[in-house]
Short mmCIF file of all heavy atoms in Angstrom, two decimals:
data_model
loop_
_atom_site.label_atom_id
_atom_site.label_comp_id
_atom_site.label_asym_id
_atom_site.label_seq_id
_atom_site.Cartn_x
_atom_site.Cartn_y
_atom_site.Cartn_z
N MET A 1 44.84 -46.12 21.97
CA MET A 1 46.12 -45.63 22.45
C MET A 1 46.50 -46.28 23.78
O MET A 1 45.65 -46.52 24.62
CB MET A 1 46.05 -44.11 22.68
CG MET A 1 45.91 -43.31 21.41
SD MET A 1 47.41 -43.35 20.41
CE MET A 1 46.76 -42.63 18.91
N ILE A 2 47.77 -46.51 23.93
CA ILE A 2 48.27 -47.01 25.20
C ILE A 2 48.97 -45.85 25.90
O ILE A 2 49.82 -45.19 25.30
CB ILE A 2 49.27 -48.16 24.98
CG1 ILE A 2 48.57 -49.32 24.27
CG2 ILE A 2 49.88 -48.62 26.30
CD1 ILE A 2 49.51 -50.32 23.65
N VAL A 3 48.57 -45.58 27.13
CA VAL A 3 49.18 -44.50 27.91
C VAL A 3 50.18 -45.12 28.87
O VAL A 3 49.83 -45.98 29.67
CB VAL A 3 48.11 -43.70 28.69
CG1 VAL A 3 48.76 -42.52 29.39
CG2 VAL A 3 47.00 -43.22 27.76
N LYS A 4 51.41 -44.72 28.76
CA LYS A 4 52.46 -45.28 29.61
C LYS A 4 52.38 -44.75 31.04
O LYS A 4 51.84 -43.67 31.29
CB LYS A 4 53.84 -44.93 29.03
CG LYS A 4 54.03 -45.37 27.59
CD LYS A 4 54.13 -46.87 27.48
CE LYS A 4 54.56 -47.26 26.07
NZ LYS A 4 54.71 -48.70 25.92
N ASP A 5 52.98 -45.52 31.94
CA ASP A 5 52.96 -45.18 33.37
C ASP A 5 53.53 -43.79 33.67
O ASP A 5 53.15 -43.17 34.65
CB ASP A 5 53.83 -46.19 34.16
CG ASP A 5 53.16 -47.55 34.21
OD1 ASP A 5 51.97 -47.62 33.87
OD2 ASP A 5 53.86 -48.52 34.59
N TRP A 6 54.45 -43.36 32.83
CA TRP A 6 55.14 -42.11 33.14
C TRP A 6 54.42 -40.87 32.60
O TRP A 6 54.93 -39.76 32.69
CB TRP A 6 56.59 -42.15 32.62
CG TRP A 6 56.74 -42.44 31.15
CD1 TRP A 6 56.70 -41.53 30.14
CD2 TRP A 6 56.99 -43.71 30.54
NE1 TRP A 6 56.88 -42.16 28.93
CE2 TRP A 6 57.08 -43.51 29.14
CE3 TRP A 6 57.14 -45.02 31.03
CZ2 TRP A 6 57.30 -44.54 28.23
CZ3 TRP A 6 57.36 -46.05 30.11
CH2 TRP A 6 57.44 -45.81 28.74
N CYS A 7 53.23 -41.04 32.08
CA CYS A 7 52.43 -39.88 31.64
C CYS A 7 52.26 -38.91 32.81
O CYS A 7 51.95 -39.33 33.92
CB CYS A 7 51.06 -40.36 31.16
SG CYS A 7 49.88 -39.02 30.87
N SER A 8 52.49 -37.64 32.54
CA SER A 8 52.40 -36.63 33.60
C SER A 8 51.07 -35.87 33.56
O SER A 8 50.88 -34.94 34.33
CB SER A 8 53.55 -35.64 33.45
OG SER A 8 53.41 -34.94 32.23
N PHE A 9 50.19 -36.26 32.64
CA PHE A 9 48.88 -35.62 32.49
C PHE A 9 49.00 -34.11 32.25
O PHE A 9 48.24 -33.32 32.78
CB PHE A 9 47.98 -35.93 33.69
CG PHE A 9 47.87 -37.41 33.94
CD1 PHE A 9 48.59 -38.02 34.96
CD2 PHE A 9 47.10 -38.20 33.11
CE1 PHE A 9 48.53 -39.40 35.16
CE2 PHE A 9 47.03 -39.57 33.29
CZ PHE A 9 47.75 -40.17 34.31
N CYS A 10 50.00 -33.78 31.43
CA CYS A 10 50.26 -32.36 31.15
C CYS A 10 49.21 -31.78 30.20
O CYS A 10 49.05 -30.57 30.13
CB CYS A 10 51.65 -32.21 30.55
SG CYS A 10 51.80 -32.98 28.91
N GLY A 11 48.55 -32.65 29.42
CA GLY A 11 47.50 -32.17 28.53
C GLY A 11 47.95 -31.74 27.15
O GLY A 11 47.15 -31.31 26.33
N GLU A 12 49.26 -31.85 26.87
CA GLU A 12 49.77 -31.45 25.54
C GLU A 12 49.05 -32.20 24.43
O GLU A 12 48.63 -31.61 23.44
CB GLU A 12 51.26 -31.77 25.44
CG GLU A 12 52.16 -30.87 26.26
CD GLU A 12 52.73 -29.74 25.43
OE1 GLU A 12 52.74 -29.83 24.20
OE2 GLU A 12 53.17 -28.75 26.04
N CYS A 13 48.91 -33.49 24.59
CA CYS A 13 48.29 -34.31 23.55
C CYS A 13 46.83 -33.90 23.34
O CYS A 13 46.35 -33.82 22.22
CB CYS A 13 48.40 -35.79 23.90
SG CYS A 13 47.72 -36.21 25.52
N ALA A 14 46.16 -33.62 24.44
CA ALA A 14 44.76 -33.21 24.35
C ALA A 14 44.62 -31.90 23.59
O ALA A 14 43.67 -31.70 22.84
CB ALA A 14 44.16 -33.08 25.75
N GLY A 15 45.60 -31.04 23.77
CA GLY A 15 45.55 -29.72 23.13
C GLY A 15 45.75 -29.76 21.64
O GLY A 15 45.32 -28.85 20.93
N VAL A 16 46.40 -30.80 21.11
CA VAL A 16 46.71 -30.82 19.68
C VAL A 16 45.79 -31.70 18.85
O VAL A 16 45.81 -31.61 17.63
CB VAL A 16 48.17 -31.27 19.42
CG1 VAL A 16 49.16 -30.28 20.02
CG2 VAL A 16 48.43 -32.67 19.92
N CYS A 17 45.00 -32.53 19.47
CA CYS A 17 44.13 -33.41 18.67
C CYS A 17 43.16 -32.56 17.85
O CYS A 17 42.38 -31.79 18.40
CB CYS A 17 43.35 -34.37 19.57
SG CYS A 17 42.17 -35.37 18.62
N PRO A 18 43.20 -32.70 16.52
CA PRO A 18 42.34 -31.88 15.67
C PRO A 18 40.85 -32.16 15.88
O PRO A 18 40.01 -31.35 15.50
CB PRO A 18 42.79 -32.22 14.25
CG PRO A 18 43.53 -33.49 14.34
CD PRO A 18 44.06 -33.60 15.74
N ARG A 19 40.55 -33.28 16.46
CA ARG A 19 39.15 -33.63 16.66
C ARG A 19 38.73 -33.55 18.12
O ARG A 19 37.63 -33.96 18.49
CB ARG A 19 38.90 -35.04 16.11
CG ARG A 19 39.25 -35.15 14.64
CD ARG A 19 39.13 -36.56 14.12
NE ARG A 19 37.76 -37.00 14.05
CZ ARG A 19 36.95 -36.83 13.01
NH1 ARG A 19 37.39 -36.18 11.96
NH2 ARG A 19 35.74 -37.27 13.02
N ASN A 20 39.63 -33.07 18.95
CA ASN A 20 39.35 -32.91 20.40
C ASN A 20 38.85 -34.20 21.04
O ASN A 20 37.83 -34.22 21.73
CB ASN A 20 38.32 -31.81 20.63
CG ASN A 20 38.94 -30.44 20.45
OD1 ASN A 20 40.06 -30.20 20.87
ND2 ASN A 20 38.21 -29.56 19.81
N LEU A 21 39.58 -35.27 20.80
CA LEU A 21 39.14 -36.58 21.28
C LEU A 21 39.76 -36.99 22.61
O LEU A 21 39.46 -38.05 23.14
CB LEU A 21 39.46 -37.66 20.24
CG LEU A 21 38.88 -37.42 18.85
CD1 LEU A 21 39.27 -38.57 17.93
CD2 LEU A 21 37.38 -37.27 18.91
N ILE A 22 40.67 -36.15 23.11
CA ILE A 22 41.39 -36.54 24.32
C ILE A 22 41.02 -35.59 25.46
O ILE A 22 41.04 -34.38 25.30
CB ILE A 22 42.91 -36.51 24.10
CG1 ILE A 22 43.27 -37.23 22.80
CG2 ILE A 22 43.65 -37.11 25.29
CD1 ILE A 22 44.72 -37.06 22.37
N VAL A 23 40.67 -36.19 26.59
CA VAL A 23 40.33 -35.39 27.76
C VAL A 23 41.19 -35.85 28.93
O VAL A 23 41.33 -37.05 29.17
CB VAL A 23 38.83 -35.55 28.11
CG1 VAL A 23 38.48 -34.76 29.35
CG2 VAL A 23 37.95 -35.12 26.95
N VAL A 24 41.79 -34.90 29.62
CA VAL A 24 42.54 -35.23 30.83
C VAL A 24 41.59 -35.10 32.00
O VAL A 24 41.00 -34.05 32.22
CB VAL A 24 43.74 -34.27 31.05
CG1 VAL A 24 44.56 -34.71 32.26
CG2 VAL A 24 44.62 -34.22 29.81
N LYS A 25 41.41 -36.21 32.72
CA LYS A 25 40.42 -36.23 33.77
C LYS A 25 40.98 -36.92 35.01
O LYS A 25 41.22 -38.13 34.99
CB LYS A 25 39.20 -37.02 33.25
CG LYS A 25 37.88 -36.57 33.81
CD LYS A 25 36.78 -37.35 33.10
CE LYS A 25 35.40 -36.85 33.48
NZ LYS A 25 34.36 -37.64 32.80
N GLU A 26 41.20 -36.17 36.04
CA GLU A 26 41.66 -36.73 37.31
C GLU A 26 42.69 -37.84 37.15
O GLU A 26 42.47 -38.98 37.49
CB GLU A 26 40.46 -37.24 38.11
CG GLU A 26 39.57 -36.12 38.57
CD GLU A 26 38.25 -36.63 39.15
OE1 GLU A 26 38.19 -37.84 39.45
OE2 GLU A 26 37.33 -35.82 39.30
N TYR A 27 43.83 -37.48 36.64
CA TYR A 27 44.93 -38.43 36.46
C TYR A 27 44.55 -39.62 35.59
O TYR A 27 44.95 -40.74 35.84
CB TYR A 27 45.49 -38.88 37.81
CG TYR A 27 46.02 -37.70 38.59
CD1 TYR A 27 45.28 -37.13 39.62
CD2 TYR A 27 47.24 -37.13 38.23
CE1 TYR A 27 45.76 -36.01 40.29
CE2 TYR A 27 47.72 -36.02 38.89
CZ TYR A 27 46.97 -35.46 39.93
OH TYR A 27 47.44 -34.35 40.58
N ASN A 28 43.77 -39.33 34.58
CA ASN A 28 43.44 -40.31 33.55
C ASN A 28 43.40 -39.59 32.22
O ASN A 28 43.04 -38.43 32.15
CB ASN A 28 42.05 -40.90 33.81
CG ASN A 28 42.14 -42.29 34.40
OD1 ASN A 28 42.85 -43.14 33.88
ND2 ASN A 28 41.43 -42.49 35.48
N LEU A 29 43.72 -40.31 31.17
CA LEU A 29 43.52 -39.78 29.83
C LEU A 29 42.35 -40.55 29.23
O LEU A 29 42.38 -41.77 29.18
CB LEU A 29 44.76 -40.01 28.95
CG LEU A 29 45.91 -39.04 29.02
CD1 LEU A 29 46.85 -39.31 27.86
CD2 LEU A 29 45.45 -37.60 28.99
N VAL A 30 41.35 -39.83 28.79
CA VAL A 30 40.18 -40.48 28.20
C VAL A 30 40.19 -40.21 26.70
O VAL A 30 40.23 -39.05 26.27
CB VAL A 30 38.88 -39.94 28.84
CG1 VAL A 30 37.67 -40.65 28.26
CG2 VAL A 30 38.92 -40.11 30.36
N PHE A 31 40.17 -41.28 25.92
CA PHE A 31 40.17 -41.17 24.46
C PHE A 31 38.81 -41.54 23.90
O PHE A 31 38.23 -42.53 24.32
CB PHE A 31 41.19 -42.14 23.84
CG PHE A 31 42.61 -41.70 24.01
CD1 PHE A 31 43.31 -42.04 25.15
CD2 PHE A 31 43.22 -40.95 23.03
CE1 PHE A 31 44.62 -41.63 25.32
CE2 PHE A 31 44.53 -40.53 23.18
CZ PHE A 31 45.23 -40.88 24.33
N ASN A 32 38.38 -40.76 22.93
CA ASN A 32 37.17 -41.13 22.21
C ASN A 32 37.64 -41.84 20.93
O ASN A 32 37.69 -41.27 19.86
CB ASN A 32 36.37 -39.86 21.88
CG ASN A 32 35.07 -40.19 21.20
OD1 ASN A 32 34.79 -41.34 20.90
ND2 ASN A 32 34.28 -39.18 20.95
N ASP A 33 38.03 -43.09 21.11
CA ASP A 33 38.68 -43.83 20.03
C ASP A 33 37.84 -43.99 18.78
O ASP A 33 38.36 -44.10 17.68
CB ASP A 33 39.09 -45.22 20.52
CG ASP A 33 40.30 -45.18 21.43
OD1 ASP A 33 40.99 -44.14 21.42
OD2 ASP A 33 40.55 -46.16 22.15
N GLU A 34 36.54 -44.00 18.94
CA GLU A 34 35.67 -44.23 17.79
C GLU A 34 35.88 -43.24 16.66
O GLU A 34 35.78 -43.59 15.50
CB GLU A 34 34.20 -44.17 18.22
CG GLU A 34 33.70 -45.50 18.74
CD GLU A 34 32.30 -45.41 19.31
OE1 GLU A 34 31.50 -44.62 18.79
OE2 GLU A 34 32.03 -46.12 20.30
N ASP A 35 36.16 -41.99 17.04
CA ASP A 35 36.32 -40.95 16.03
C ASP A 35 37.78 -40.69 15.66
O ASP A 35 38.07 -39.79 14.89
CB ASP A 35 35.69 -39.65 16.52
CG ASP A 35 34.17 -39.75 16.54
OD1 ASP A 35 33.63 -40.53 15.74
OD2 ASP A 35 33.54 -39.06 17.36
N CYS A 36 38.68 -41.47 16.21
CA CYS A 36 40.11 -41.25 15.97
C CYS A 36 40.46 -41.52 14.52
O CYS A 36 40.06 -42.54 13.96
CB CYS A 36 40.93 -42.17 16.88
SG CYS A 36 42.71 -42.03 16.58
N ARG A 37 41.21 -40.58 13.91
CA ARG A 37 41.61 -40.74 12.51
C ARG A 37 43.05 -41.26 12.41
O ARG A 37 43.63 -41.28 11.34
CB ARG A 37 41.50 -39.40 11.77
CG ARG A 37 40.07 -38.95 11.59
CD ARG A 37 39.29 -39.97 10.76
NE ARG A 37 37.95 -40.17 11.28
CZ ARG A 37 36.85 -39.68 10.75
NH1 ARG A 37 36.91 -38.93 9.70
NH2 ARG A 37 35.69 -39.94 11.30
N GLU A 38 43.61 -41.63 13.54
CA GLU A 38 44.97 -42.18 13.59
C GLU A 38 45.98 -41.29 12.89
O GLU A 38 46.84 -41.76 12.14
CB GLU A 38 44.98 -43.59 12.99
CG GLU A 38 44.02 -44.49 13.76
CD GLU A 38 44.22 -45.97 13.46
OE1 GLU A 38 45.26 -46.32 12.88
OE2 GLU A 38 43.34 -46.77 13.82
N CYS A 39 45.84 -40.01 13.13
CA CYS A 39 46.76 -39.06 12.50
C CYS A 39 48.11 -39.01 13.23
O CYS A 39 49.07 -38.48 12.72
CB CYS A 39 46.13 -37.67 12.47
SG CYS A 39 45.85 -36.96 14.11
N ASP A 40 48.14 -39.54 14.45
CA ASP A 40 49.37 -39.60 15.25
C ASP A 40 49.84 -38.25 15.77
O ASP A 40 50.95 -38.14 16.30
CB ASP A 40 50.53 -40.26 14.48
CG ASP A 40 50.32 -41.76 14.36
OD1 ASP A 40 49.38 -42.30 14.96
OD2 ASP A 40 51.13 -42.40 13.64
N THR A 41 49.04 -37.23 15.62
CA THR A 41 49.43 -35.90 16.10
C THR A 41 49.67 -35.93 17.61
O THR A 41 50.64 -35.37 18.11
CB THR A 41 48.34 -34.86 15.76
OG1 THR A 41 48.09 -34.92 14.37
CG2 THR A 41 48.77 -33.46 16.15
N CYS A 42 48.80 -36.63 18.31
CA CYS A 42 48.93 -36.70 19.78
C CYS A 42 50.20 -37.45 20.18
O CYS A 42 50.91 -37.04 21.11
CB CYS A 42 47.71 -37.35 20.39
SG CYS A 42 47.31 -38.98 19.71
N VAL A 43 50.49 -38.53 19.48
CA VAL A 43 51.68 -39.34 19.79
C VAL A 43 52.94 -38.47 19.63
O VAL A 43 53.82 -38.46 20.49
CB VAL A 43 51.76 -40.57 18.87
CG1 VAL A 43 53.04 -41.35 19.10
CG2 VAL A 43 50.55 -41.47 19.09
N LYS A 44 52.98 -37.73 18.53
CA LYS A 44 54.15 -36.90 18.25
C LYS A 44 54.26 -35.72 19.20
O LYS A 44 55.35 -35.23 19.47
CB LYS A 44 54.11 -36.39 16.80
CG LYS A 44 54.34 -37.50 15.79
CD LYS A 44 54.34 -36.94 14.37
CE LYS A 44 54.14 -38.05 13.35
NZ LYS A 44 53.18 -37.68 12.29
N ALA A 45 53.12 -35.26 19.71
CA ALA A 45 53.13 -34.06 20.56
C ALA A 45 53.60 -34.35 21.98
O ALA A 45 54.04 -33.45 22.68
CB ALA A 45 51.72 -33.47 20.62
N CYS A 46 53.52 -35.60 22.41
CA CYS A 46 53.91 -35.90 23.79
C CYS A 46 55.40 -35.69 23.97
O CYS A 46 56.21 -36.32 23.29
CB CYS A 46 53.53 -37.34 24.15
SG CYS A 46 54.02 -37.71 25.85
N PRO A 47 55.79 -34.82 24.91
CA PRO A 47 57.22 -34.51 25.08
C PRO A 47 58.01 -35.64 25.73
O PRO A 47 59.23 -35.65 25.68
CB PRO A 47 57.20 -33.26 25.98
CG PRO A 47 55.87 -33.28 26.66
CD PRO A 47 54.92 -34.01 25.77
N ILE A 48 57.31 -36.60 26.33
CA ILE A 48 58.03 -37.67 27.02
C ILE A 48 57.67 -39.07 26.50
O ILE A 48 57.84 -40.07 27.20
CB ILE A 48 57.80 -37.59 28.55
CG1 ILE A 48 56.29 -37.59 28.88
CG2 ILE A 48 58.45 -36.33 29.14
CD1 ILE A 48 56.00 -37.68 30.37
N ASP A 49 57.18 -39.12 25.26
CA ASP A 49 56.85 -40.40 24.61
C ASP A 49 55.98 -41.32 25.46
O ASP A 49 56.28 -42.51 25.61
CB ASP A 49 58.14 -41.14 24.21
CG ASP A 49 58.86 -40.44 23.07
OD1 ASP A 49 58.18 -39.78 22.27
OD2 ASP A 49 60.09 -40.55 22.99
N ALA A 50 54.95 -40.77 26.00
CA ALA A 50 54.08 -41.57 26.88
C ALA A 50 52.85 -42.14 26.16
O ALA A 50 52.05 -42.82 26.78
CB ALA A 50 53.64 -40.74 28.08
N LEU A 51 52.75 -41.87 24.87
CA LEU A 51 51.61 -42.41 24.12
C LEU A 51 52.12 -43.39 23.06
O LEU A 51 53.09 -43.11 22.35
CB LEU A 51 50.85 -41.30 23.40
CG LEU A 51 49.78 -40.54 24.14
CD1 LEU A 51 49.09 -39.58 23.16
CD2 LEU A 51 48.78 -41.45 24.79
N GLU A 52 51.42 -44.50 22.95
CA GLU A 52 51.79 -45.47 21.94
C GLU A 52 50.53 -45.94 21.24
O GLU A 52 49.51 -46.18 21.89
CB GLU A 52 52.48 -46.66 22.60
CG GLU A 52 53.13 -47.63 21.64
CD GLU A 52 53.68 -48.84 22.37
OE1 GLU A 52 54.56 -48.67 23.24
OE2 GLU A 52 53.21 -49.95 22.10
N LYS A 53 50.61 -46.05 19.93
CA LYS A 53 49.44 -46.48 19.19
C LYS A 53 49.26 -47.99 19.34
O LYS A 53 50.21 -48.75 19.19
CB LYS A 53 49.59 -46.11 17.72
CG LYS A 53 48.29 -46.23 16.95
CD LYS A 53 48.23 -45.28 15.80
CE LYS A 53 48.94 -45.83 14.58
NZ LYS A 53 48.77 -44.94 13.42
N GLU A 54 48.05 -48.38 19.65
CA GLU A 54 47.73 -49.81 19.79
C GLU A 54 47.65 -50.41 18.40
O GLU A 54 46.96 -49.87 17.54
CB GLU A 54 46.40 -49.94 20.50
CG GLU A 54 46.27 -51.16 21.36
CD GLU A 54 45.09 -51.04 22.30
OE1 GLU A 54 44.45 -49.97 22.35
OE2 GLU A 54 44.80 -52.01 22.98
N GLU A 55 48.35 -51.51 18.18
CA GLU A 55 48.33 -52.14 16.83
C GLU A 55 47.09 -52.97 16.64
O GLU A 55 46.57 -53.54 17.56
CB GLU A 55 49.57 -53.01 16.63
CG GLU A 55 50.87 -52.21 16.65
CD GLU A 55 50.94 -51.12 15.58
OE1 GLU A 55 50.30 -51.26 14.51
OE2 GLU A 55 51.61 -50.11 15.82
S1 SF4 B 1 51.30 -35.23 26.25
FE1 SF4 B 1 52.17 -37.14 27.06
S2 SF4 B 1 52.57 -36.75 29.22
FE2 SF4 B 1 51.19 -35.15 28.49
S3 SF4 B 1 49.11 -35.91 28.96
FE3 SF4 B 1 49.59 -36.54 26.86
S4 SF4 B 1 50.47 -38.61 27.05
FE4 SF4 B 1 50.54 -37.67 29.09
S1 SF4 B 2 45.63 -39.97 16.52
FE1 SF4 B 2 44.91 -37.93 15.86
S2 SF4 B 2 42.69 -38.07 15.89
FE2 SF4 B 2 43.44 -39.78 17.09
S3 SF4 B 2 43.44 -39.06 19.20
FE3 SF4 B 2 45.48 -38.68 18.35
S4 SF4 B 2 45.47 -36.58 17.56
FE4 SF4 B 2 43.33 -37.26 17.89
#
């Protein structure tokens, strides 16, 4: 995932990941990409479009 500069670290995306792969840590988003199922739930949950899937 690519996290855009305007991410506010609100944690919405972390709250919706069915596999709990996202952690908000001191103004960083940490992804456990290895287990990601690319369901896009986190991308859709971000209210300000700050997440983008890496191609
Ligand atoms: S939901 Fe969007 S703004 Fe909030 S922490 Fe996730 S990427 Fe950042
Ligand atoms: S795409 Fe799905 S599995 Fe991967 S981090 Fe986002 S919500 Fe979690």
Side-chain angles (χ1 to χ4, degrees):
M1 292 290 169
I2 299 164
V3 185
K4 305 289 190 179
D5 289 347
W6 56 86
C7 169
S8 64
F9 306 103
C10 66
E12 288 264 341
C13 55
V16 297
C17 175
R19 302 175 70 88
N20 285 320
L21 303 181
I22 312 171
V23 178
V24 184
K25 211 175 187 181
E26 292 170 15
Y27 300 101
N28 257 309
L29 276 192
V30 182
F31 286 87
N32 183 356
D33 285 343
E34 274 173 35
D35 290 332
C36 177
R37 292 299 139 105
E38 302 194 15
C39 65
D40 287 353
T41 305
C42 54
V43 175
K44 290 182 197 136
C46 180
I48 54 173
D49 290 332
L51 274 186
E52 190 185 300
K53 193 151 83 175
E54 212 165 354
E55 296 301 332

